[in-house]
């Protein structure tokens, strides 16, 4: 009886030895994620009108949004995702009327300290006055998009640094 069990175990070991390995050298090697994966949020600040519908749609009060009135428009100054409470349900993304909110494939949001968990997507100062018509020329130079809308360009001029934050770069909050 003892010998039979040993042989069975060795057979399994032998089979597993030849099966393809699924382990990867993480974090140097990143695992593939599905196309519609729900990872860290990303916001396109140029599209956002600071309406707060994403905040209202969230069942867990994950999103903190601050805005300031500049001229006749609301200017998004702070947008924080408290990922420790997030269900990654996607209700906020669905609620956005401007399609400004998206999920990224970034799943590594771990932090050593609890206080560093919230992901700062936007943190910027509001301009003193609305900046209206500087952008079209600048954008025409880039030549990529065919969007002659002056509205979307209002927010873009002021915080060049903020757009990096919005793109998901929160240097001190990145997982290690
Ligand atoms: S994914 Fe769900 S829980 Fe997370 S911020 Fe959006 S609405 Fe809230
Ligand atoms: S719902 Fe969309 S447009 Fe409104 S505040 Fe949220 S991200 Fe901005």
């Amino acid at each position: 009886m003892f010998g039979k069990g040993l042989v069975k175990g060795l057979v399994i070991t032998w089979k597993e030895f030849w099966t393809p390995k699924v382990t990867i050298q993480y974090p140097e090697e990143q695992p593939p994620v599905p196309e519609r994966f729900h990872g860290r949020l990303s916001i396109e600040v140029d599209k956002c009108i600071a309406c707060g519908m994403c905040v209202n749609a969230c069942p867990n009060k994950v999103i903190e949004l601050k805005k300031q009135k500049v001229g006749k428009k609301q200017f998004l100054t702070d947008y924080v995702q408290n990922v420790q409470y997030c269900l990654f349900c996607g209700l906020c993304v669905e609620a956005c009327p401007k399609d400004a909110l998206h999920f990224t494939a970034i799943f590594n949001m771990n932090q050593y300290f609890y206080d560093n968990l919230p992901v700062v997507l936007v943190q910027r100062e509001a301009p003193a006055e609305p900046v209206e018509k500087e952008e079209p020329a600048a954008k025409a130079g880039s030549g990529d998009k065919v969007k002659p809308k002056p509205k979307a360009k209002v927010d873009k001029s002021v915080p060049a640094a903020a757009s990096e934050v919005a793109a998901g770069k929160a240097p001190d909050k990145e997982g290690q």
Side-chain angles (χ1 to χ4, degrees), residues 26-27 30 39-41 81 83 104-113 115-121 164-176:
Y26 182 84
Q30 294 286 325
R40 187 166 68 181
L41 285 176
Q81 178 194 13
V83 284
T104 66
I106 300 169
F107 57 84
N108 181 9
M109 290 169 276
N110 58 309
Q111 293 292 337
Y112 192 80
F113 294 107
D115 288 347
N116 292 338
L117 273 175
V119 176
V120 181
L121 296 171
E164 285 185 12
V165 181
K169 294 174 188 172
D172 54 333
K173 300 193 179 287
E174 194 69 50
Q176 298 294 319

Side-chain angles (χ1 to χ4, degrees), residues 5-27:
L6 180 65
V7 171
K8 273 188 180 177
L10 287 173
V11 169
I12 292 170
T13 304
W14 183 253
K15 280 183 185 171
E16 289 301 318
F17 183 78
W18 295 106
T19 52
K21 306 296 178 288
V22 292
T23 49
I24 59 166
Q25 296 298 320
Y26 182 84

Side-chain angles (χ1 to χ4, degrees), residues 43 47-54 65 79 92 95-98 100-101:
I43 185 169
K47 289 185 181 177
C48 180
I49 54 173
C51 63
M53 289 183 72
C54 50
L65 182 152
Y79 198 97
C92 53
C96 180
K98 294 291 177 182
L101 208 54

Side-chain angles (χ1 to χ4, degrees), residues 128-147:
E129 294 176 1
V131 186
E132 291 285 350
K133 293 182 181 176
E134 288 179 23
E135 297 282 339
K139 210 160 189 177
S142 67
D144 274 340
K145 296 178 182 178
V146 193
K147 280 189 178 178

